[in-house]
Amino acid sequence: MQELYIAREVATGATSQEIATRLFLSPRTIEAHLRNIFRKLGITSRRQLRDHPSLTSES
């Protein structure tokens, strides 16, 4: 659930620092989650995450 939230926030343009503040986590923890998300989705960038169909087709 947390990775999905982070993925959606990044897809809307939020920075790691902004997400970390909202979740009371460190920006490094957010970056670690992003690495896991990228690996699972087979992508390498925030731009690819923003355009990923699994995030744009759901509301």
Side-chain angles (χ1 to χ4, degrees):
M1 286 300 279
Q2 197 164 38
E3 284 183 356
L4 180 58
Y5 177 80
I6 292 168
R8 286 183 173 160
E9 289 295 307
V10 168
T12 64
T15 66
S16 295
Q17 180 62 52
E18 291 168 340
I19 299 166
T21 299
R22 289 183 201 135
L23 296 178
F24 303 101
L25 298 171
S26 77
R28 287 181 57 121
T29 300
I30 301 303
E31 293 298 327
H33 281 298
L34 279 176
R35 284 191 299 276
N36 290 334
I37 293 164
F38 290 175
R39 182 181 45 79
K40 289 176 183 179
L41 296 177
I43 61 175
T44 57
S45 72
R46 289 172 178 254
R47 177 172 285 157
Q48 288 175 313
L49 182 60
R50 183 190 68 214
D51 297 335
H52 200 276
S54 68
L55 296 175
T56 57
S57 64
E58 298 177 35
S59 47

